């Protein structure tokens, strides 16, 4: 993430999606920064994984594992104190797996209501049994 562009300067205007569910809101703290003072991309990726698991957990109702993440492209840096909102929707339910789309939006804590899209990713989760083996998703 670049230290030169910022959601605080001139964010690309964006509106949170109306076709996805808000599954997580979080405010990153100073311990989550990289060497440039921006929020570490890996921290954002971990939050996306948590947000992505919310809806599949309702469907699977048991253990699951993240098995794939398709491409992260960071469009805006995230700063300490920004409010990150994670929106998710199921794109596919297979026999043992569920794929979800997660979009992340940032808004300044001091200037709430103005959103900038940070990133988006497709994640696939597999339902697993107590031995860690894939199991069928009950329908």
């Amino acid at each position: 993430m670049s230290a030169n562009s910022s959601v605080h300067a001139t964010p690309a205007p964006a509106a949170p999606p109306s076709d996805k569910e808000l599954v997580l809101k979080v405010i990153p703290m100073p311990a989550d920064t990289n060497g440039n003072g921006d929020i570490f991309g890996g921290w954002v990726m971990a939050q996306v994984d948590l947000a992505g698991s919310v809806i599949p957990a309702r469907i699977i109702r048991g253990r699951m594992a993240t098995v794939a993440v398709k491409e992260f492209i960071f469009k805006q840096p995230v700063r300490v104190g920004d409010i990150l909102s994670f929106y998710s929707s199921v794109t596919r339910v297979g026999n043992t797996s569920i794929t979800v789309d997660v979009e992340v939006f940032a808004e300044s804590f001091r200037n709430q209501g103005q959103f900038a899209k940070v990133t988006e990713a497709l994640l696939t989760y597999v339902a697993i049994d107590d031995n860690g083996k894939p199991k069928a998703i009950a329908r």
Side-chain angles (χ1 to χ4, degrees), residues 2 5 7 9 34 43-44 52-53 55-56 62 77 79 86 89 95-97 117 129 133 136:
S2 166
S5 59
V7 80
N34 62 22
W43 181 87
V44 175
S53 70
I55 297 174
R79 305 284 186 181
F86 298 76
S89 65
N95 292 329
T96 61
S97 66
K117 187 171 182 178
D129 63 19
K133 302 290 184 198

Side-chain angles (χ1 to χ4, degrees), residues 14-22 85-88 103-105 117:
S18 59
D19 61 339
K20 290 183 172 62
E21 179 180 345
L22 176 64
S85 299
F86 298 76
Y87 294 84
S88 181
E103 291 184 72
V104 183
F105 291 81
K117 187 171 182 178

Side-chain angles (χ1 to χ4, degrees), residues 102-125:
V102 178
E103 291 184 72
V104 183
F105 291 81
E107 60 183 314
S108 168
F109 195 83
R110 292 185 180 158
N111 200 10
Q112 293 182 35
Q114 295 182 6
F115 295 88
K117 187 171 182 178
V118 173
T119 193
E120 179 175 9
L122 283 174
L123 298 94
T124 302
Y125 300 88

